[in-house]
């Protein structure tokens, strides 16, 4: 097994990455180091900035970190890069309230995950995954984390919070970005 350091404070992300990468012989080690999340328009920039932060700190092993968010079409892409802040302020109930008059056909949304891989030499590689779906009218399910109870991926009649990790890991934004990361690491 090869060790892969994942810098995050989010245990849900660690759980999903651990399950996803196990068959590829990667062992995820969580490092709960904080880093500044700049205010900018793209997840890519946030992730890149995070990696640069650790390069400046002369981190002594390769690592990954992730920035993710949910983009709701009826809200013109909100909360997007502000997903974390909005989760702790408006919350899921606030999002559902904002969308109370939005019809079923217009409740489309997209999750996006950007993983960044940083080397000790200062290199950065980004891996992007997306997952299409809809925002439900009420919260459903208790698994997962964050916006999982209000997001139903396309082709499923369950929210992410009603799916087991191995099911979410077949279709999620994070699953797709991690698959790209693994392909990259294999070819290195
Ligand atoms: P961050 O990548 O940790 O900044 O996450 C941004 C926000 O999106 C947080 O509120 C997370 O809980 C939420 N989020 C990220 N990925 C997921 C997911 O897979 N399911 C549900 N919420 C997510």
């Amino acid at each position: 097994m090869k060790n892969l350091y994942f810098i995050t404070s989010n245990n849900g992300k660690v759980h999903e990455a651990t399950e996803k990468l196990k068959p590829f012989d990667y062992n995820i080690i969580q490092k709960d180091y904080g880093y500044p999340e700049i205010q900018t328009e793209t997840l890519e920039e946030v992730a890149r900035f995070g990696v640069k932060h650790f390069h400046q700190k002369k981190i002594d092993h390769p690592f990954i970190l992730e920035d993710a968010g949910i983009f709701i079409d009826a809200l013109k892409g909100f909360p997007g890069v502000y997903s974390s802040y909005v989760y702790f302020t408006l919350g899921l109930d606030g999002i559902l309230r904002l969308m109370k008059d939005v019809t079923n056909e217009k409740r489309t949304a997209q999750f996006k995950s950007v993983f960044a891989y940083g080397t000790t030499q200062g290199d950065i590689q980004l891996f992007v995954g997306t997952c299409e779906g809809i925002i439900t009218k009420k919260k459903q399910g208790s698994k997962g984390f964050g916006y999982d109870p209000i997001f139903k991926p396309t082709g499923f009649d369950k929210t992410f919070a009603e799916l087991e990790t191995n099911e979410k890991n077949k279709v999620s934004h994070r699953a797709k970005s991690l698959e790209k990361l693994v392909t990259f690491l294999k070819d290195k």
Side-chain angles (χ1 to χ4, degrees):
M1 276 250 180
K2 290 150 278 186
N3 288 337
L4 191 54
Y5 291 83
F6 185 3
I7 300 178
T8 180
S9 57
N10 185 321
N11 297 335
K13 289 184 177 185
V14 172
H15 176 61
E16 288 176 19
T18 301
E19 294 301 306
K20 184 75 190 174
L21 297 188
K22 222 184 263 167
F24 301 99
D25 237 22
Y26 282 100
N27 175 41
I28 293 286
I29 299 175
Q30 181 178 11
K31 292 287 176 189
D32 189 358
Y33 308 143
Y35 59 93
E37 285 202 12
I38 51 162
Q39 228 178 332
T40 176
E41 284 180 11
T42 68
L43 300 175
E44 283 85 347
E45 282 175 85
V46 178
R48 202 177 274 285
F49 189 86
V51 173
K52 284 189 184 152
H53 171 82
F54 290 109
H55 281 156
Q56 274 161 13
K57 297 226 168 266
K58 305 260 180 275
I59 194 161
D60 62 359
H61 44 69
F63 59 95
I64 53 173
L65 53 80
E66 187 210 29
D67 201 45
I70 188 162
F71 297 77
I72 301 175
D73 295 324
L75 305 178
K76 297 189 165 48
F78 182 80
V81 286
Y82 310 109
S83 294
S84 180
Y85 178 72
V86 169
Y87 180 78
F88 289 111
T89 50
L90 281 181
L92 301 185
D93 292 326
I95 292 281
L96 292 178
R97 263 197 309 276
L98 281 180
M99 295 184 65
K100 70 178 179 359
D101 296 326
V102 180
T103 58
N104 282 343
E105 314 76 69
K106 299 236 165 93
R107 299 182 75 87
T108 50
Q110 187 188 52
F111 257 122
K112 182 170 173 183
S113 152
V114 178
F115 263 95
Y117 175 76
T119 66
T120 50
Q121 289 90 41
D123 302 315
I124 306 176
Q125 291 284 336
L126 299 185
F127 306 93
V128 179
T130 58
C131 179
E132 303 285 339
I134 58 147
I135 301 298
T136 52
K137 291 205 162 157
K138 55 183 176 51
K139 292 182 274 185
Q140 290 172 219
S142 55
K143 301 184 183 80
F145 65 96
Y147 293 82
D148 281 350
I150 62 166
F151 182 83
K152 250 187 212 180
T154 302
F156 287 75
D157 200 25
K158 287 179 175 177
T159 65
F160 269 165
E162 294 174 302
L163 295 178
E164 298 298 335
T165 304
N166 69 326
E167 294 174 297
K168 182 178 175 189
N169 264 348
K170 285 181 195 148
V171 295
S172 81
H173 48 308
R174 182 161 302 104
K176 290 176 191 155
S177 52
L178 284 173
E179 282 161 15
K180 291 180 187 169
L181 170 72
V182 166
T183 305
F184 167 80
L185 291 176
K186 259 203 326 243
D187 294 344
K188 252 168 72 73

